[in-house]
Amino acid sequence: MNNLFTTFLIKYAEIGVKGRNRYIFEDALVTQIEHAMKDVDGEFAVHKTQGRIFVDCLSEYDFDEVVEALKRVFGISGICPVICLEDEGFDVLAEKVITYMDQAYPDKNMTFKVMARRARKNYPKNSMEINEDLGEKILHAFPEIKVDVHHPDVLLNVEIREKIYVYSKVIPGPGGMPIGTAGKAMLLLSGGIDSPVAGYMISKRGVKLEAVYFNAPPYTSERAKQKVVDLAKLVSKYSGPIRLHVINFTDIQLYIYDKCPHDELTIIMRRYMMRIAEHLANQNGCIGLITGESIGQVASQTMQSLMATNEVCEMPVYRPLIGFDKQEIVEISEKIDTYETSIQPYEDCCTIFVAKHPVTKPNLGVIRKHEKNLEEKIEELFQTAIETDEVIEIG
Ligand code: ATP
Ligand code: MG
């Protein structure tokens, strides 16, 4: 095998992961890593040994591809590529470590420290001796390099087990909690910039996602729906599989358009979206809703409008972007690679039915009164929308 690194040591933040929870956390992390590695070319085995997680590479692989996949697994704080050496005596070990240091750090103007751990006690040198003797050989090989035992630029870990493991680089992971360590929530996923980011942020806390998209054919095109499917796929690279519900919302929208004042259309429509989303959430074992709302971004997201849309749900509604500026949201969407898809110019159902001057401070009493205009048919339309739910399994 030509790859220098034969295994990856996975680091995870252990804060709040004590006692019994630790196993839940670790097992969920192993499952998520296994899931992420399925799409990577090559053969890999994920295992947990003495409280540490390793991804062993059993075949040739592409280093960047492996790192990219692991960087999307929530719960990982660092990824350490590890060299695995046969024990051929200390001098051979020193030679190999020097070759590794030479390749890994072309610029030797740096400080380092050796940190040896001797798990196999019959090794002829103890940890202190390995630190000192290996340190000396490295200093000798590279005159520019210096030792700093307190704040080294490079911490060279050497673990003596049946074989010898050497690693020094820690590639940052995404942090967060592994999917499966919290409950499941229903994401209201539109084709915009915000909702995919909102889904990403909540799933980063270990929450599994399900999603709902309100479609309005023929006012919206097949392309608009495809865009949402594409966005769900991109989010699922982080969150794991997502069941996407596509709800045909056209008849409800037309009915509201027919019966209610046009400046209140958006608010009333959004109240129905929330009601349907909550209904689907209850049917599918979700214990929260997620939206991409942010205070003041548009008329339907003033505090008064949020109060009006929030009123119809009993379930908690998670709005992770509530205090974010658009630019901050755009930056995350670029980072997670949803931005380019989000800005494709396919209209969603809201842009078709918007009034020129929507209310920005809806009065709840007035909204409730106008919703009474819908009494005759809305229950039936609501049921039909739910019964004709199209489910697409993503990821
Ligand atoms: P986004 O960029 O996420 O589309 P937005 O800035 O366009 O958000 P709104 O259209 O007011 O804002 O929607 C607010 C939130 O309501 C969205 O973030 C999303 O969670 C949900 N939402 C809006 N339209 C739809 C839709 N057609 N299907 C599913 N959810 C929707
Ligand atoms: Mg939108």
Side-chain angles (χ1 to χ4, degrees):
M1 212 160 69
N2 293 324
N3 293 104
L4 177 61
F5 303 107
T6 48
T7 187
F8 290 83
L9 168 64
I10 303 300
K11 300 211 162 199
Y12 47 90
E14 289 174 43
I15 300 164
V17 193
K18 299 253 157 64
R20 210 164 56 87
N21 287 338
R22 184 183 171 117
Y23 292 94
I24 298 171
F25 182 99
E26 288 171 345
D27 291 348
L29 188 52
V30 167
T31 306
Q32 293 307 316
I33 294 172
E34 281 170 343
H35 181 77
M37 297 310 289
K38 272 191 203 132
D39 292 339
V40 179
D41 276 341
E43 212 186 309
F44 305 93
V46 185
H47 67 93
K48 199 170 95 170
T49 318
Q50 292 160 2
R52 300 203 297 168
I53 295 172
F54 292 91
V55 179
D56 290 339
C57 308
L58 309 177
S59 66
E60 294 292 320
Y61 66 90
D62 181 74
F63 181 84
D64 292 339
E65 205 190 337
V66 169
V67 170
E68 279 314 306
L70 293 173
K71 274 180 152 181
R72 287 193 293 260
V73 180
F74 294 135
I76 296 182
S77 65
I79 304 154
C80 308
V82 181
I83 313 179
C84 175
L85 302 171
E86 296 294 337
D87 182 4
E88 300 170 277
F90 183 75
D91 289 341
V92 178
L93 171 67
E95 247 172 64
K96 290 192 172 165
V97 168
I98 287 167
T99 309
Y100 163 70
M101 292 288 279
D102 201 18
Q103 286 175 2
Y105 304 98
D107 179 7
K108 305 289 182 308
N109 194 359
M110 62 178 204
T111 60
F112 82 107
K113 169 186 172 179
V114 179
M115 193 153 108
R117 248 175 257 129
R118 189 178 59 154
R120 174 158 59 85
K121 297 298 173 200
N122 68 0
Y123 195 76
K125 289 178 191 285
N126 68 26
S127 310
M128 278 305 273
E129 288 165 343
I130 300 169
N131 289 344
E132 282 167 15
D133 296 353
L134 201 52
E136 201 166 301
K137 294 222 177 221
I138 292 169
L139 284 172
H140 194 253
F142 309 114
E144 313 96 288
I145 225 167
K146 292 193 182 59
V147 170
D148 181 343
V149 290
H150 300 296
H151 304 287
D153 297 327
V154 171
L155 182 65
L156 181 72
N157 291 277
V158 178
E159 289 189 19
I160 313 282
R161 295 173 183 273
E162 214 35 60
K163 293 187 179 181
I164 300 175
Y165 299 90
V166 178
Y167 61 93
S168 63
K169 296 213 165 178
V170 186
I171 302 160
M177 304 283 281
I179 305 289
T181 52
K184 184 164 68 163
M186 181 68 74
L187 168 66
L188 284 87
L189 182 62
S190 69
I193 294 170
D194 306 331
S195 42
V197 173
Y200 163 85
M201 287 180 69
I202 296 298
S203 75
K204 188 171 176 205
R205 299 308 305 159
V207 177
K208 193 171 162 46
L209 298 184
E210 190 140 341
V212 53
Y213 167 60
F214 296 93
N215 197 15
Y219 299 95
T220 56
S221 62
E222 192 57 29
R223 260 326 261 122
K225 175 175 146 190
Q226 186 57 43
K227 178 181 166 183
V228 174
V229 170
D230 293 345
L231 284 170
K233 272 193 196 134
L234 292 170
V235 174
S236 79
K237 286 190 176 183
Y238 294 89
S239 69
I242 298 177
R243 298 180 78 210
L244 172 66
H245 301 263
V246 179
I247 293 287
N248 187 329
F249 202 50
T250 313
D251 290 344
I252 292 180
Q253 273 188 310
L254 288 173
Y255 191 50
I256 299 170
Y257 193 77
D258 196 30
K259 298 281 182 191
C260 300
H262 288 183
D263 61 349
E264 290 169 8
L265 278 183
T266 309
I267 293 293
I268 295 177
M269 195 180 81
R270 293 202 42 73
R271 281 161 66 93
Y272 276 95
M273 281 188 186
M274 299 302 272
R275 286 179 174 113
I276 293 176
E278 184 174 50
H279 186 97
L280 287 174
N282 277 321
Q283 274 184 341
N284 291 281
C286 299
I287 55 173
L289 303 177
I290 307 167
T291 75
E293 290 158 313
S294 146
I295 293 175
Q297 199 186 77
V298 286
S300 58
Q301 296 175 28
T302 61
M303 284 183 69
Q304 291 83 355
S305 300
L306 286 166
M307 183 171 156
T309 37
N310 197 59
E311 186 207 30
V312 299
C313 307
E314 276 175 24
M315 209 173 256
V317 181
Y318 296 103
R319 300 180 173 90
L321 308 181
I322 201 70
F324 280 45
D325 293 345
K326 194 74 188 186
Q327 189 49 38
E328 294 171 304
I329 302 170
V330 165
E331 277 163 24
I332 303 175
S333 77
E334 284 171 335
K335 187 182 89 182
I336 66 171
D337 207 24
T338 52
Y339 183 73
E340 289 303 323
T341 305
S342 288
I343 59 170
Q344 289 172 5
Y346 305 109
E347 70 300 330
D348 69 14
C349 63
C350 311
T351 47
I352 304 269
F353 293 93
V354 284
K356 281 207 182 63
H357 301 290
V359 280
T360 54
K361 292 182 183 161
N363 176 302
L364 265 182
V366 175
I367 297 283
R368 286 193 202 115
K369 184 171 139 237
H370 288 147
E371 270 184 3
K372 287 221 165 20
N373 300 350
L374 303 169
E375 260 171 3
E376 194 188 333
K377 268 173 55 185
I378 195 70
E379 196 48 41
E380 184 194 327
L381 294 177
F382 190 103
Q383 283 310 325
T384 309
I386 282 166
E387 280 158 20
T388 56
D389 174 12
E390 180 197 356
V391 177
I392 304 175
E393 303 283 349
I394 298 205

